[in-house]
């Protein structure tokens, strides 16, 4: 019981302390060799911003994980997020569909707009938002259900597919539509050939890489507008990886893709623009991918890309 | 060794030395002694038996063991289940030898079993001591530690204290404190003996002393069978019959531990082997005590419980049908891939089928010959406080009547099973316009019947004096039944007409099957339900139209199924065969479904149906003990039906009350509530509630609940009190199970844009189902046999003569609460209170009735348990990939 009281107090302290730390860190980075210059990340592009992030700060307890990040993510393109481990890429990604709300310790400050609508609005519809902004997690997390059910889970819950005894009685059985959707999603995720003959087996029986692709297929089945991918290829062999890369490129014709990767070549190959985060949770540079990889503005980014600094 | 044994016919190979064999033998002797200790503990064999009688008992045991060992040895020899461990082979041989030795000794020397077992302990003690010495002087190759360890030291020290106290007390008298000095010396002596010398002596010599002392006490009859000790300090006492088995269990356990250590050459391996043996023997002890309780109650109660039972052969066949399906399914499961195991696998796959098949044959033969199959025996009843022995029998009669419930339950089960087997027949077969038209209209028709049923139920059969119900009822029921038969016959007609080959025809008519089965069954079910509110039951030729239609439907579907089986045999393409399999599932589901409707009709309208065979509400299966109430003045005592009904209702009531509440609270506390003060308080409170003594719940029920509901002891009060007892366990286990569901699942679901409640319903709850069910099983096990609170709130009497009628007790009222049930508010019998009442009734309670009640209580609880386990296994299988 006393714990609960302490928790409350701690929260307040954190809130107060958090701001202090924020100012602290700004001064520290100001004192460091290089300052994050506004114009480096003030990337302009033609057309609409699908997602527009401004002054986003995230704290985990006392830990200031993202520091005043702003970036506009263009529609129908692939945006790569790169940076050393622990620099806040996943944190940033989770902010885009408010998955960070689910982490108790997380506190978010700033604004993210999806097509001009603030998603951190008090009366924003979370369920609706996550339908539009899908996510593939860093570690595969299929449900303990059959492969088929994993794919059709989302559409079924959204009422896009009706199945079961009642639906059967009322003649609205969408089994056919389901089968089509399952096949299409699995094919898109480059896993159809491996599982087509065991769709009713439990998904937990798949290998790690297969599970990851299943999760991609599951995300696609909901037909989101934005797809957030957190290192989708980290557990895959080169063949599956290249299939996923192809997939990402095709997706970018219709979808807005934000992808975290540790693989520089991959980022260079598939993305249209790249954001580089560096340790401490700052967005150091955001620009066209070619620009970032060939001629970065910041020395630290160049060091990171060429492997001099992690 | 695993290659060697294939060519090696002798049980024990040359690489085990005489030392090894002697110790294997000693371990075996220990095991035999342990088992005999168990056997004598529960009085299966008397300790005072001797001579030929004893030898015969031992010989029986020898034959049983030899049979088991022989089977395993044979299958090992045939390479089916290879056993290549020298230790297992040695110990097994030892067990046979030990039993043989005991049997021969029993023939040769005229001593009691107790003496024989004392001798057994002495032999063990000698072998252990010798082995220790042999190892110590280096005759064998062992790796002992420097000492047996403090733990062993303290254990033996404690044994020493105990032995010293007992021996000192016996020899020197319990006055004074001399015995205490003896005890102290013995304790310290054994402690020193255990820890001072090297491990090989330290773990054998004190063991030998303890075992030897125990053996000598028994063998010399210092504590003999007739021995009795009634200490002044405690009322009551100990008898030799109870003490000797305990000594034996204890002594053999120590001996086996010590011998196992010697056998494995002491050191780490020795410790492991010793612990392995002790733990396993202990597990055997635990299991046998539990089994003993069940066996004991069964032996005492089963004769009385099944007295006078009869079953009609046809009813037997119906009851057997789910087992037949299960056996066929088992036999069809693909065998393991490894060639050499084929034989054994085959056997186990086919065995159930063979057994079920032979029972079926038995029942059919009774039906065909028309001769009763009977087994007669006697039982005892209490009449005017005197035991009277009555003749009775259990029998299978050549009756062709099937009880309605006996028909409905298995057929419903089969319907569900076949329906689940059915996958899908979409996009198969040609569409016929007329059939499609019927398919579209049918749901409308069924909905209309449902609306009519509802209207009649609310308005009454003759609203405003108009005979709407009877008139419309007859028309609709008649038309519906005829249409249902027509639908049922559709596939058969489709199969018979046409000129392609049978398999192709069958595939082509697939759309008829789905329409026929789903349409026909639901139409007939709809008119069946309509009959009630419409107060009609139209009949032709003196038989109800609905049951007639059901029977016809079943016959037609069965014919269709038979034709399909032939078609499947004729089909050569796998895909065709699979499609035919789907159709077969549908046809079988239809058969079962129509039969279930037939049974339901008889049960609902209370009108028997007979056409060749009969379906009736009474007869065909009779177990007086379970199906009759007590008959106070009859020649036969009747049974405890009211108590069974009471217990079943109590459990149903308590679970329907506690499970949704408990699971709901668990979901709220784990998924929604802020983790903090409230959840902590609830956690502490539930734990406290779970450990509250049941009698306190009873008092709460009696003083708080009863004055508020009905004012008198009642079934409802019992349900609530048991529900309150069940609630904390369900809550605790459900919470743990829900907490154990990984957060990744919740995240994944949330990221797909699924609301929290949907996520809980479709991901979290299914994933936590096995845990929740485990909790419910444990809880039901506890409350089903709960006696103390029921004595206070249920108001049951001994030998109740009428069962509570809960289902018929519901009455709708115009004033709140709109629904009332007298039965729930009246007192009821229950199994545990019946057992208690028999005991409390003293001489006037019939002990055999009590045992039989206890047996049935055990059966009921175990049934609930089995259902729970099945459900849990089902959900586990669904969760984990098979
Ligand atoms: N749930 C959490 N609670 C507390 N701190 C967290 C939590 N998640 C992340 N952090 C912290 O936030 C910082 C950024 O983490 P994040 O997972 O975003 O890094 P990342 O860039 O995705 O790293 P990686 O490449 O290794 O996945 C880290 O310092 C981490 O310790
Ligand atoms: Mg990450």
């Amino acid at each position: 019981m006393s714990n609960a009281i302490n928790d409350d107090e701690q929260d307040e302290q954190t809130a107060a302390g958090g701001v202090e730390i924020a100012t602290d860190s700004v001064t520290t980075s100001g004192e460091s060799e290089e300052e994050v210059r506004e114009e480096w990340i003030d990337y302009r592009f033609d057309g609409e911003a699908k997602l527009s992030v401004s002054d986003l700060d995230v704290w985990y307890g006392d830990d200031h994980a993202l520091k005043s990040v702003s970036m506009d993510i263009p529609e129908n393109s692939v945006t790569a997020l790169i940076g050393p481990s622990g620099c806040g890429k996943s944190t940033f990604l989770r902010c885009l569909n408010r998955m960070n709300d689910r982490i108790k310790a997380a506190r978010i400050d700033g604004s993210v707009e999806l097509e001009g609508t603030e998603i951190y609005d008090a009366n924003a519809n979370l369920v609706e938002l996550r339908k539009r902004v899908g996510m593939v997690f860093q570690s595969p997390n299929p449900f303990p259900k059959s492969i088929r059910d994993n794919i059709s889970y989302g559409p079924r819950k959204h009422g896009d597919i009706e199945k079961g005894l009642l639906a059967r009685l009322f003649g609205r059985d969408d089994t056919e539509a389901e089968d089509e959707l399952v096949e299409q999603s699995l094919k898109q995720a480059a896993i159809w050939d491996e599982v087509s003959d065991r769709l009713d087996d439990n998904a937990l029986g798949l290998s790690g890489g297969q599970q990851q692709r299943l999760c991609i297929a599951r995300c696609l089945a909901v037909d989101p507008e934005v797809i957030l991918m957190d290192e989708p290829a980290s557990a895959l062999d080169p063949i599956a990886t290249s299939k996923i890369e192809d997939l990402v490129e095709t997706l970018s014709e219709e979808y807005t893709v934000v992808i975290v990767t540790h693989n520089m070549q991959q980022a260079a190959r598939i993305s249209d623009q790249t954001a580089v985060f560096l340790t401490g949770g700052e967005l150091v540079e955001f620009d066209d991918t070619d620009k970032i990889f060939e001629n970065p503005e910041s020395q630290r980014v160049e060091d990171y890309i060429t492997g001099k600094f992690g | 060794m695993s290659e060697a044994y294939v060519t090696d016919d002798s049980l024990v190979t040359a690489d085990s030395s005489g030392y090894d064999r002697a110790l294997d033998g000693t371990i075996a002797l220990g095991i035999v002694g342990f088992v005999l200790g168990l056997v004598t503990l529960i009085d299966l064999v008397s300790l005072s038996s001797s001579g030929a009688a004893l030898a015969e008992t031992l010989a029986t045991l020898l034959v049983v063991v030899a049979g088991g060992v022989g089977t395993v040895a044979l299958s090992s020899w045939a390479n089916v289940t290879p056993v290549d461990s020298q230790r297992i082979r040695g110990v097994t041989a030892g067990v046979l030898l030990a039993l043989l030795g005991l049997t021969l000794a029993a023939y040769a020397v005229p001593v009691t079993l107790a003496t024989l077992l004392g001798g057994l302990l002495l032999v063990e003690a000698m072998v252990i001591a010798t082995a220790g010495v042999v190892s110590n002087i280096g005759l064998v190759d062992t790796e002992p530690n420097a000492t047996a360890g403090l733990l062993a030291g303290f254990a033996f020290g404690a044994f020493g204290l105990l032995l010293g106290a007992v021996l000192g007390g016996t020899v020197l008298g319990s006055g004074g404190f001399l015995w205490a000095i003896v005890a102290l010396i013995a304790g310290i002596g054994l402690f020193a003996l255990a820890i001072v010398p090297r491990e090989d002596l330290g773990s054998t010599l004190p063991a030998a002393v303890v075992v030897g002392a125990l053996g000598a006490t028994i063998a010399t009859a210092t504590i003999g069978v007739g021995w009795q000790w009634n200490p002044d300090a405690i009322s009551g006492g100990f008898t030799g019959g109870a003490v000797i088995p305990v000594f034996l269990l204890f002594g053999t356990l120590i001996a086996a531990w010590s011998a196992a250590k010697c056998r494995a050459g002491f050191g780490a391996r020795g410790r492991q082997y010793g612990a392995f043996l002790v733990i396993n023997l202990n597990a055997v002890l635990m299991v046998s005590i539990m089994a003993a309780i069940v066996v004991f109650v069964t032996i005492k109660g089963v004769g009385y419980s099944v007295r006078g039972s009869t079953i009609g052969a046809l009813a037997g066949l119906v009851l057997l049908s789910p087992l037949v399906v299960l056996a066929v399914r088992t036999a069809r499961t693909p065998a393991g891939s490894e060639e050499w195991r084929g034989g054994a696998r085959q056997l186990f796959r086919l065995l159930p089928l063979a057994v079920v098949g032979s029972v079926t044959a038995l029942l059919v033969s009774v039906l065909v010959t028309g001769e009763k199959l009977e087994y007669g025996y006697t039982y005892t009843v209490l009449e005017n406080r005197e035991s009277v022995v009555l003749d009775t029998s259990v029998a299978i009669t050549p009756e062709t009547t099937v009880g309605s419930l006996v028909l409905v339950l298995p057929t419903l089960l089969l319907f569900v099973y076949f329906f689940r087997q059915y996958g899908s027949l979409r996009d198969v077969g040609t569409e016929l316009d007329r059939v499609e038209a019927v398919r579209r209209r049918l749901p409308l028709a069924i909905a209309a019947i449902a609306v009519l049923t509802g209207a009649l139920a609310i308005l009454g059969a003759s609203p405003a004096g108009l005979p709407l119900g009877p008139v419309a009822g007859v028309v609709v029921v008649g038309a519906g039944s005829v249409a249902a038969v027509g639908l049922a016959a559709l596939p058969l007609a489709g199969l018979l007409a046409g000129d392609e080959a049978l398999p192709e025809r069958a595939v082509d008519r697939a759309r008829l099957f789905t329409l026929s089965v789903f349409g026909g069954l639901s139409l007939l079910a709809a008119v069946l339900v309509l009959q009630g509110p419409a107060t009609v039951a139209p009949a032709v030729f003196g038989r109800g139209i609905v049951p007639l239609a059901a029977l016809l439907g079943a016959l037609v579907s069965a014919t269709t199924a038979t034709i399909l089986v032939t078609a499947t045999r004729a089909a050569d393409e796998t895909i065709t065969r699979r499609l035919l399999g789907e159709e077969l599932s549908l046809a079988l589901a239809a058969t079962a479904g129509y039969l279930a409707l037939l049974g339901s009709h008889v049960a609902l309208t209370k009108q028997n149906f007979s056409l060749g065979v009969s379906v009736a509400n009474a007869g065909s299966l009779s177990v007086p003990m379970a199906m009759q109430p007590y008959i106070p003045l009859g020649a036969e005592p009747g049974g405890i039906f009211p108590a069974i009904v009471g217990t079943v209702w109590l459990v149903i009531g308590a679970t329907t009350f506690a499970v949704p509440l408990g699971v709901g609270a668990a979901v709220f506390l784990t998924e929604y509530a802020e983790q903090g003060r409230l959840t902590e308080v609830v956690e502490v409170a539930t734990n406290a509630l779970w450990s509250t003594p049941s009698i306190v719940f009873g008092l709460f029920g009696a003083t708080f609940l009863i004055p508020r509901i009905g004012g008198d002891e009642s079934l409802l009060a019992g349900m609530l009190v048991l529900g309150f007892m069940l609630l904390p366990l369900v809550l605790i286990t459900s919470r743990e199970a829900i907490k154990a569901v990984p957060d990744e699942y919740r995240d994944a679901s949330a990221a797909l844009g699924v609301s929290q409640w949907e996520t809980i319903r479709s991901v979290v709850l299914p994933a936590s189902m096995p845990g929740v069910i485990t909790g419910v099983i444990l809880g039901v096990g506890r409350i089903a046999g709960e006696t103390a609170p029921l004595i206070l709130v249920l108001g049951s009497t001994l030998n109740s003569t009428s069962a509570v009628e809960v289902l018929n007790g519901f009455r709708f009222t115009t004033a709140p609460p709109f629904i009332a049930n007298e039965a729930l508010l009246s007192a009821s019998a229950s199994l545990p209170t019946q057992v208690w009442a028999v005991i409390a009734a003293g001489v006037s309670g019939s002990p055999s009735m009590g045992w039989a009640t206890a047996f049935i209580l055990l059966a009921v609880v175990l049934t609930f348990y089995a259902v729970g386990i099945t459900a849990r296994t089902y959900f586990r299988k669904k969760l984990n990939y098979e």
Side-chain angles (χ1 to χ4, degrees):
Chain A
M1 263 165 250
S2 59
N3 270 345
I5 299 169
N6 284 343
D7 278 350
D8 289 347
E9 284 172 2
Q10 237 168 26
D11 270 355
E12 276 163 35
Q13 283 167 359
T14 333
V19 176
E20 260 174 63
I21 291 167
T23 19
D24 277 358
S25 56
V26 169
T27 32
T28 349
S29 62
E31 282 159 8
S32 71
E33 339 111 48
E34 201 173 9
E35 202 172 318
V36 183
R37 281 204 224 129
E38 271 303 313
E39 62 264 32
W40 288 354
I41 52 177
D42 192 16
Y43 170 61
R44 299 259 162 247
F45 49 87
D46 304 328
E48 287 292 300
K50 183 77 179 179
L51 280 162
S52 164
V53 182
S54 41
D55 291 325
L56 190 69
D57 283 278
V58 178
W59 290 269
Y60 291 114
D62 290 339
D63 182 10
H64 198 172
L66 272 188
K67 289 169 192 152
S68 188
V69 173
S70 303
M71 88 163 72
D72 282 349
I73 296 169
E75 194 162 11
N76 296 350
S77 68
V78 179
T79 305
L81 309 179
I82 61 174
S85 187
C87 68
K89 304 179 297 291
S90 300
T91 303
F92 178 72
L93 209 61
R94 280 200 302 266
C95 287
L96 300 183
N97 66 346
R98 291 191 62 175
M99 284 302 281
N100 269 340
D101 290 21
R102 301 175 57 77
I103 298 173
K104 285 238 173 57
R107 205 158 50 75
I108 300 131
D109 191 15
S111 133
V112 177
E113 286 177 2
L114 176 63
E115 290 188 330
T117 320
E118 175 60 50
I119 68 169
Y120 279 97
D121 210 43
N123 45 21
N125 184 345
L126 272 187
V127 170
E128 203 51 44
L129 166 72
R130 289 177 188 149
K131 250 193 252 181
R132 293 174 64 190
V133 185
M135 181 161 205
V136 177
F137 292 80
Q138 192 159 5
S139 48
N141 53 358
F143 299 121
K145 298 174 184 285
S146 72
I147 294 174
R148 186 196 308 278
D149 286 348
N150 259 283
I151 303 292
S152 60
Y153 175 79
R156 259 155 94 165
K157 294 295 144 193
H158 299 153
D160 299 336
I161 283 183
E162 287 192 44
K163 242 183 100 173
L165 210 61
L166 263 184
R168 225 184 244 187
L169 275 183
F170 287 105
R172 280 216 300 272
D173 190 17
D174 293 329
T175 317
E176 249 165 274
E178 183 196 18
D179 285 352
E180 256 168 51
L181 180 78
V182 168
E183 180 172 346
Q184 181 203 333
S185 312
L186 289 173
K187 274 185 176 158
Q188 274 187 318
I191 189 185
W192 171 252
D193 295 337
E194 288 156 68
V195 299
S196 58
D197 56 345
R198 48 169 173 154
L199 293 178
D200 290 315
D201 287 5
N202 197 306
L204 296 184
L206 297 175
S207 78
Q210 287 171 331
Q211 290 187 3
Q212 185 63 293
R213 278 175 285 157
L214 179 71
C215 292
I216 295 176
R218 180 177 67 186
C219 170
L220 294 175
V222 185
D223 196 25
E225 299 164 27
V226 181
I227 300 174
L228 312 174
M229 294 182 161
D230 202 342
E231 289 185 59
S234 59
L236 301 185
D237 64 281
I239 298 171
T241 304
S242 78
K243 280 183 187 164
I244 295 297
E245 288 180 6
D246 292 345
L247 164 69
V248 170
E249 277 183 275
T250 12
L251 286 178
S252 69
E253 286 159 21
E254 284 177 60
Y255 302 88
T256 307
V257 180
V258 185
I259 183 167
V260 173
T261 176
H262 277 294
N263 182 333
M264 301 294 160
Q265 286 80 28
Q266 191 175 55
R269 269 198 303 271
I270 60 174
S271 67
D272 301 308
Q273 51 275 326
T274 300
V276 187
F277 288 75
L278 288 181
T279 311
E282 324 157 47
L283 172 59
V284 186
E285 195 163 339
F286 179 46
D287 215 323
D288 280 332
T289 301
D290 299 341
K291 177 94 175 15
I292 294 274
F293 280 95
E294 277 155 27
N295 187 16
E297 301 270 351
S298 150
Q299 187 57 42
R300 286 161 74 200
V301 170
E302 187 163 353
D303 289 348
Y304 174 67
I305 288 170
T306 51
K308 282 189 198 152
F309 149 78
Chain B
M1 239 189 281
S2 57
E3 279 89 38
Y5 92 95
V6 179
T7 52
D8 172 21
D9 292 332
S10 58
L11 200 53
V12 185
T13 48
D15 30 311
S16 55
S17 63
Y19 172 83
D20 290 341
R21 292 185 201 183
L23 285 169
D24 281 341
T26 316
I27 295 173
L29 205 58
I31 293 175
V32 170
F34 190 81
V35 171
L36 285 175
L38 279 175
V39 168
T40 49
L41 186 67
I42 57 169
D43 253 351
L44 235 49
V45 180
S46 165
L47 275 169
S48 55
S49 60
S50 64
L54 174 62
E56 233 164 75
T57 316
L58 288 173
T60 320
L61 199 61
L62 178 63
V63 169
V64 170
V65 172
V69 171
T71 314
V72 174
L74 201 68
S75 85
S76 170
W77 176 80
N79 232 343
V80 176
T81 53
V83 178
D84 48 13
S85 156
Q86 282 297 306
R87 277 187 213 164
I88 292 183
R89 293 167 141 215
V91 172
T92 316
V95 168
L96 283 179
L97 272 178
L99 275 174
L100 187 66
L102 280 176
T103 314
L104 291 181
Y107 269 118
V109 277
V111 293
T112 61
L113 179 59
T115 318
L116 216 54
L117 293 174
L120 183 148
L121 283 183
L122 282 176
V123 173
E124 293 240 286
M126 277 182 318
V127 181
I128 301 168
T130 319
V133 173
V134 165
S135 158
N136 194 255
I137 55 178
L139 290 183
V140 288
D141 201 13
T142 54
E143 305 154 354
N145 293 347
T147 159
L150 267 185
L151 188 64
F154 281 124
F156 281 119
F159 300 155
L161 271 177
L162 215 68
L163 272 179
V166 171
L167 286 180
T170 333
V171 179
L172 303 170
S174 51
F177 52 89
L178 264 179
W179 66 272
I181 295 175
V182 176
L184 211 62
I185 292 174
I188 293 174
L190 278 187
F191 177 74
L193 196 55
I195 63 162
V196 174
R198 212 169 66 170
E199 191 194 7
D200 44 7
L201 286 185
S203 51
T204 51
L205 290 187
V209 170
V210 173
V211 175
L214 292 175
T217 322
I218 303 175
T220 58
T222 311
I223 290 182
V225 182
W227 178 84
Q228 188 94 29
W229 182 43
N230 296 321
D232 301 332
I234 31 179
S235 54
F238 303 94
T239 62
V243 170
I244 294 175
V246 173
F247 274 20
L248 197 64
L249 287 175
F250 190 62
T252 48
L253 209 59
I254 297 177
W257 169 78
S258 181
K261 279 189 96 170
C262 297
R263 172 64 172 92
F266 305 98
R269 283 182 43 190
R271 204 167 304 152
Q272 198 184 344
Y273 192 26
F276 167 82
L277 221 75
V278 169
I279 289 169
N280 275 296
L281 285 178
N282 260 321
V284 169
L285 181 67
M286 234 83 94
V287 171
S288 10
I289 287 177
M290 278 188 285
I293 295 171
V294 175
V295 171
F296 194 60
V297 173
T298 308
I299 291 174
K300 290 272 195 183
V302 73
Y304 193 94
S305 301
V306 301
R307 77 192 136 76
S309 300
T310 59
I311 182 168
L314 192 64
L317 282 175
V318 172
L319 284 178
L320 205 61
S321 54
L323 287 183
V324 175
V325 172
L326 199 72
V328 170
R329 190 191 150 127
T330 316
R332 278 170 55 97
T333 45
S337 52
E338 286 164 278
E339 255 342 290
W340 58 271
R341 288 199 187 182
R345 286 284 176 96
Q346 212 90 15
L347 183 69
F348 285 115
R349 273 172 37 217
L350 296 176
L351 204 60
L353 190 58
V355 172
V356 174
S358 51
V359 177
T360 312
L362 187 78
L363 291 172
V364 170
S365 77
V366 171
L367 268 184
V368 171
T369 58
E371 291 216 14
K372 199 165 157 182
L373 207 67
E374 199 168 16
Y375 168 76
Y377 61 98
T378 59
Y379 71 105
T380 332
V381 295
L382 211 62
E383 213 168 272
N384 299 327
R385 308 197 167 187
E386 305 251 342
S387 293
V388 180
V389 177
L390 296 178
D391 284 321
T392 185
S393 66
V394 287
I396 301 174
T397 62
E399 262 181 291
T400 53
T401 308
V402 182
S404 52
L405 264 186
V406 170
L407 182 62
V408 170
L409 291 182
T411 47
L412 212 57
L413 213 65
L414 286 178
F415 172 73
V416 172
Y417 173 77
F418 286 122
F419 190 69
R420 285 191 59 92
Q421 286 282 298
Y422 165 71
S424 138
L425 274 177
R426 268 175 309 104
D427 303 333
V428 184
T430 34
E431 284 189 26
L432 301 169
D433 286 345
R434 261 183 250 162
V435 172
E436 293 312 305
V438 174
R439 187 193 296 278
R440 271 194 303 278
R441 307 255 160 77
L442 207 55
L444 277 180
I446 292 170
I449 297 177
V451 169
L452 183 62
T453 312
L456 290 178
I458 293 170
L459 301 175
S462 309
L466 291 172
L468 176 67
V471 175
V474 168
V475 174
V476 174
V477 171
S481 305
V482 172
V485 175
L487 283 172
L490 259 183
L492 187 59
L495 279 185
L496 296 178
D499 38 48
E500 309 102 307
L502 187 57
E504 275 74 65
R505 235 185 299 156
V507 171
D508 188 54
R509 311 288 192 267
R511 294 190 71 84
L512 294 182
F513 276 88
T514 46
L515 174 67
S516 151
V517 174
F518 297 125
L521 280 177
S522 33
L523 193 61
L524 198 60
V527 295
L528 175 71
V529 176
L530 173 65
Q531 286 186 103
T535 60
V536 291
V540 281
F541 311 124
R543 295 181 180 93
I545 289 186
V546 173
L548 214 52
L551 186 64
L552 274 176
L555 287 177
V556 170
S557 305
T559 317
T560 315
T562 320
I563 295 181
L564 280 174
V565 172
T566 347
T568 317
R569 288 193 61 89
D572 29 42
E573 274 181 72
T574 328
I575 178 79
T576 316
R577 238 182 272 146
R578 251 189 55 195
L579 290 173
L580 289 181
E582 299 280 331
E583 288 181 356
L584 183 60
S585 302
L586 276 183
L588 289 172
T591 315
Y594 282 118
L595 285 178
L597 286 178
L598 175 57
S600 321
H601 181 271
V602 174
L604 287 177
T605 60
K606 307 246 180 297
Q607 288 172 349
N608 295 353
F609 176 82
S610 101
L611 188 81
V613 298
S614 341
V615 182
N617 276 312
S620 85
L621 174 69
S622 151
V623 184
M625 183 66 183
M627 294 166 65
Q628 284 177 1
Y630 187 68
I631 306 169
L633 295 171
E636 299 255 326
I640 48 164
F641 180 64
I644 297 178
V645 172
T647 285
V648 169
W649 276 118
L650 281 172
V651 169
I652 291 177
T655 39
T656 41
F657 165 66
V659 170
L661 218 61
V663 176
V667 167
F668 175 77
L669 287 173
T670 333
E671 298 286 320
Y672 289 100
E674 234 0 88
Q675 302 300 314
R677 221 167 308 181
L678 174 73
T679 48
E680 253 172 62
V681 169
V682 172
E683 204 146 312
V684 171
T686 39
N687 284 328
L689 207 58
W690 170 236
S691 29
T692 305
S694 57
I695 189 76
V696 176
F697 278 97
L699 285 173
F700 161 76
T703 55
F704 182 86
L705 286 179
I706 287 182
R708 284 165 180 78
I709 46 170
D712 210 348
E713 297 163 326
S714 68
L715 187 60
L716 185 62
M719 288 173 171
L720 288 179
V721 166
L722 292 186
F724 280 123
M725 289 182 59
L726 183 58
L727 193 58
L729 186 69
V730 172
L731 181 57
I732 294 168
T733 48
S734 306
R735 259 203 92 175
E736 291 308 319
I738 293 173
K739 272 191 204 161
V741 176
D743 264 341
E744 278 84 51
Y745 296 164
R746 298 185 180 88
D747 285 347
S749 181
L752 290 169
V754 175
S755 66
Q756 189 178 7
W757 168 239
E758 278 291 338
T759 304
I760 291 169
R761 210 177 58 94
S762 332
V763 179
V764 178
L765 280 184
S768 56
M769 214 44 156
V772 173
I773 292 177
T774 309
V776 176
I777 297 172
L778 287 177
V780 166
R782 179 181 177 192
I783 60 161
E786 195 53 73
T787 322
L790 292 186
I791 294 172
L792 291 175
V793 300
L794 192 62
S796 71
T797 49
L798 174 60
N799 297 337
S800 173
T801 51
S802 65
V804 282
E805 295 256 353
V806 175
L807 280 185
N808 291 338
F810 281 106
R811 296 279 173 272
F812 296 95
T813 55
T814 45
F818 301 112
I819 184 161
N821 192 327
E822 270 310 307
L824 280 180
L825 291 180
S826 56
S828 163
S830 78
L831 287 169
T833 49
Q834 164 84 15
V835 176
W836 174 79
V838 170
I839 298 166
V843 281
S844 60
S846 158
S848 43
M849 179 87 148
W851 281 116
T853 312
F855 170 68
I856 290 178
L857 174 61
L858 207 61
V860 169
V861 172
L862 289 181
T863 310
F864 280 125
Y865 194 67
V867 170
I869 298 271
T870 317
R872 186 173 63 180
T873 320
Y874 171 76
F875 280 107
R876 277 225 182 114
K877 262 200 187 153
K878 250 180 86 169
L879 284 182
N880 306 326
Y881 53 97
E882 287 111 296

